[in-house]
Amino acid sequence: MAERSAPRIASISWGRMEVEGVGSGKDFKLWPGGGRPWDWTETGTHHSPGIEPADVEELLIHGSEVLVLSRGMELQLETAPETLALLHERGVDVHVEETNAAVKVYNELAERGEPVGGLFHSTC
C-alpha cells in the first residue's frame, strides 16, 4: 500500500471491522494514509442528528477529497444537515450509504487510488 493510499477494509460484520494497517474495532475514521477507531463521545455524536461537522474535519485535514459516510447496518445513524452543507461548500464528494454498501464504495474508491476518507459504524 502506498503511503497516501486509504487503508482497505478487509472485513465487516455486526460490531466488528478489520482494517488493513489500522486494526480491528467497532467504528472507524479512515483517510488517505491511515485511520483510527471512531469514538463518538469525542464530538457528542448520536444517531440523531447524526454525523457532526466535527466528525468529518479530521478526514479533511488528512487529505480526504471524497467521503463515504455509513448509516449503520440498520440505517439508524443520520448525517446532520450542517455536515452535508459544510462538505458541499468545500466541494467534497459525499456518499451516504448503509454500512455494507458504504464499505463497498469506499474500498472501490481506495483501490482506484482516490483520496477517500470515511466514517464507518458497524452496528445499528
Side-chain angles (χ1 to χ4, degrees), residues 74-101:
E74 296 176 347
L75 304 173
Q76 295 299 304
L77 178 59
E78 298 174 16
T79 302
E82 300 82 7
T83 303
L84 295 174
L86 168 80
L87 296 172
H88 178 74
E89 287 169 13
R90 295 198 187 175
V92 176
D93 289 335
V94 182
H95 302 267
V96 180
E97 304 281 350
E98 177 274 332
T99 299
N100 287 298

Side-chain angles (χ1 to χ4, degrees), residues 31-74:
W31 55 76
R36 68 178 181 89
W38 178 22
D39 178 358
W40 292 22
T41 64
E42 291 174 359
T43 57
T45 297
H46 299 283
H47 286 106
S48 181
I51 297 169
E52 303 285 336
D55 292 317
V56 300
E57 281 294 340
E58 186 173 8
L59 307 178
L60 301 176
I61 289 168
H62 285 285
S64 301
E65 296 176 16
V66 179
L67 292 186
V68 178
L69 307 177
S70 74
R71 297 214 42 220
M73 299 285 205
E74 296 176 347

Side-chain angles (χ1 to χ4, degrees), residues 7-18:
R8 186 177 170 279
I9 299 170
S11 67
I12 183 153
S13 59
W14 185 272
R16 184 166 178 80
M17 294 178 61
E18 294 283 341

